[in-house]
Amino acid sequence: MDYGSVMRRKLGGRMQKLAIDAGFSCPNRDGKVSYGGCTFCLGEAFSPYYCRNSNDLIQQIESALRFHASRGRSADYFVAYMQSGSNTYADTLTLERTYSAIISHPAVSGLIVGTRPDCITPEILQLLEDISKRKYVAVEYGIESVYDSTLSHVNRGHDFATASYAVAETKARSIDVGAHFIIGLPNESRSDILEGISHINTLGIDFVKFHQLQIYHSTAMEREWNEDPERFLFNHNFNIEEYSELMIDIIRRLSPSIAIERMVSQAPRHLIAHSPLGGIRPDELRNIVISKMQNRGYKQGDLLL
C-alpha cells in the first residue's frame, strides 16, 4: 500500500513534508540511557541543510517552503516533520510550546513527530491527542530491529517490547503511528530479516519506513565494519538487484494494512563510508520493485500465513 495515496485520502489532497529540527537531544547520548548514541547514528545525516541555518522554527518552515518551491514541488497540504533528534524528549511544557509554535504557521496542516519508543509518556500522548483534534498528527518511532540481540549490539537502549508498548499506547489515542526499521544491521541474515516481518505485522502500525544500512564516517559502526565486514549482510558485493529482490520478499510478507513510505534512505555522500546502493533515489528503487512485482503478479502480503 502506497503511503502517498493513503495520506491523500486522509488529508484530502497532496501532502508535502517540511523537515524541522527543533534541537532536541537523545537519552542515548546524554547519559540518561547511555552515552555515544546508537553505533550507526550520525545526526548530520538526518537533517536537511535548510534546517541547519536557524534555530527559529518559523524561519525553518519558511526555508522549507522555499526549498520545495524551488524544486517545483507543489502540495495541497504541508505537514511539519520533526525528523532529527528525539522529539518527545523534553518536559511537557517545552513540548507544548514547540509544537504550538510549529502548527501556528498558516501553511502547516499537521505535525509528524519522530522519536524513540522509550521517550513517550501518558502526558505527552495527551498533548499530541489534543493537537490531533485540530491538526493532523502522527508519531514515527525509530524501532530499527525486532530482535533484542541486535538492539543491544547497536547500543539502541531499548528493547522490542518497549516499542510494542509505545505503539499500542499511541494507537489507543487514535494517533497514526509509523515505524522505522534498518535493513542490514550487524549479524542479521536475510532469513532473520524476513522472519522479523511477522513481528512488524503484530505492532499495528499505520506506515513503515525501511532503510538500507548506510555506514557513516566517524561512527562506531564504521569501526566495526572495518574490523569485520562479514558481520554485515551488505558486504562489498551486495547490489541494487539483490536489495530489490529482498524488498520484494519483505513486501510480500508485510500486512496489506501497512502503508510503505520508504524502501531506501538517502544521505549526503560525503558522510557515507559504505552504502550498498550508491546514490539510488527512493523513487528509482520503488519503480524497480513495483515493476518486478507487477510483472510477476505479486502483491503486498500475498505470502502472509
Side-chain angles (χ1 to χ4, degrees):
M1 181 163 56
D2 177 65
Y3 173 78
S5 300
V6 170
M7 292 305 296
R8 278 193 294 273
R9 289 196 296 271
K10 284 181 179 290
L11 297 176
R14 293 172 299 169
M15 180 197 74
Q16 177 64 60
K17 288 184 177 181
L18 307 174
I20 303 296
D21 187 346
F24 289 110
S25 183
C26 172
N28 207 22
R29 289 188 176 276
D30 67 9
K32 183 174 181 180
V33 171
S34 182
Y35 291 99
C38 303
T39 62
F40 55 78
C41 187
L42 183 67
E44 297 172 66
F46 306 107
S47 184
Y49 75 88
Y50 58 76
C51 293
R52 303 169 196 158
N53 299 327
S54 173
N55 292 324
D56 185 275
L57 298 172
I58 299 302
Q59 287 183 12
Q60 287 189 40
I61 292 170
E62 293 292 339
S63 295
L65 290 167
R66 289 193 296 271
F67 172 81
H68 291 296
S70 71
R71 283 156 176 75
R73 299 171 184 164
S74 61
D76 302 301
Y77 299 94
F78 292 97
V79 175
Y81 177 32
M82 302 177 74
Q83 178 180 15
S84 181
S86 299
N87 294 287
T88 57
Y89 186 46
D91 62 88
T92 309
L93 181 59
T94 298
L95 294 176
E96 182 176 14
R97 289 172 176 166
T98 302
Y99 300 158
S100 295
I102 292 170
I103 63 173
S104 70
H105 192 287
V108 173
S109 299
L111 182 67
I112 299 176
V113 179
T115 191
R116 291 165 54 94
D118 56 353
C119 291
I120 205 74
T121 65
E123 293 76 19
I124 293 171
L125 288 174
Q126 184 62 56
L127 171 61
L128 292 169
E129 182 182 6
D130 291 343
I131 295 172
S132 73
K133 295 172 182 175
R134 295 176 283 139
K135 302 270 187 172
Y136 174 78
V137 172
V139 178
E140 288 189 6
Y141 288 113
I143 300 176
E144 317 311 355
S145 175
V146 304
Y147 298 111
D148 288 348
S149 58
T150 300
L151 294 173
S152 175
H153 182 88
V154 301
N155 194 40
R156 184 64 187 165
H158 65 75
D159 57 11
F160 187 67
T162 300
S164 298
Y165 176 80
V167 172
E169 291 297 298
T170 309
K171 288 297 296 177
R173 305 277 184 156
S174 299
I175 297 170
D176 281 357
V177 180
H180 298 196
F181 293 94
I182 299 176
I183 306 299
L185 287 169
N187 304 317
E188 287 193 3
S189 67
R190 195 180 197 279
S191 61
D192 291 332
I193 293 166
L194 295 180
E195 289 172 11
I197 302 304
S198 62
H199 297 287
I200 295 175
N201 289 335
T202 66
L203 285 170
I205 57 175
D206 298 284
F207 55 93
V208 66
K209 288 181 178 178
F210 293 112
H211 297 274
Q212 84 285 18
L213 177 66
Q214 298 193 105
I215 298 173
Y216 299 111
H217 289 296
S218 303
T219 59
M221 191 158 286
E222 182 188 21
R223 293 190 292 274
E224 184 177 0
W225 165 262
N226 290 334
E227 291 168 3
D228 188 3
E230 296 308 312
R231 295 178 187 172
F232 296 81
L233 175 65
F234 298 153
N235 56 45
H236 288 290
N237 299 317
F238 201 93
N239 57 40
I240 293 171
E241 174 67 20
E242 290 174 285
Y243 188 77
S244 65
E245 292 296 332
L246 175 57
M247 285 308 311
I248 289 170
D249 286 342
I250 288 172
I251 293 168
R252 297 184 70 196
R253 289 162 173 80
L254 186 70
S255 170
S257 66
I258 301 174
I260 302 170
E261 184 172 359
R262 275 183 176 267
M263 305 178 195
V264 66
S265 62
Q266 290 181 296
R269 294 191 183 186
H270 71 278
L271 301 177
I272 299 172
H274 173 69
S275 175
L277 307 181
I280 190 169
R281 291 168 51 88
D283 58 334
E284 290 180 89
L285 181 71
R286 179 179 178 275
N287 291 338
I288 291 170
V289 169
I290 289 175
S291 178
K292 285 184 174 184
M293 290 187 68
Q294 289 177 340
N295 290 338
R296 299 172 190 175
Y298 295 161
K299 294 182 179 180
Q300 182 175 338
D302 65 8
L303 290 182
L304 275 174
L305 298 178

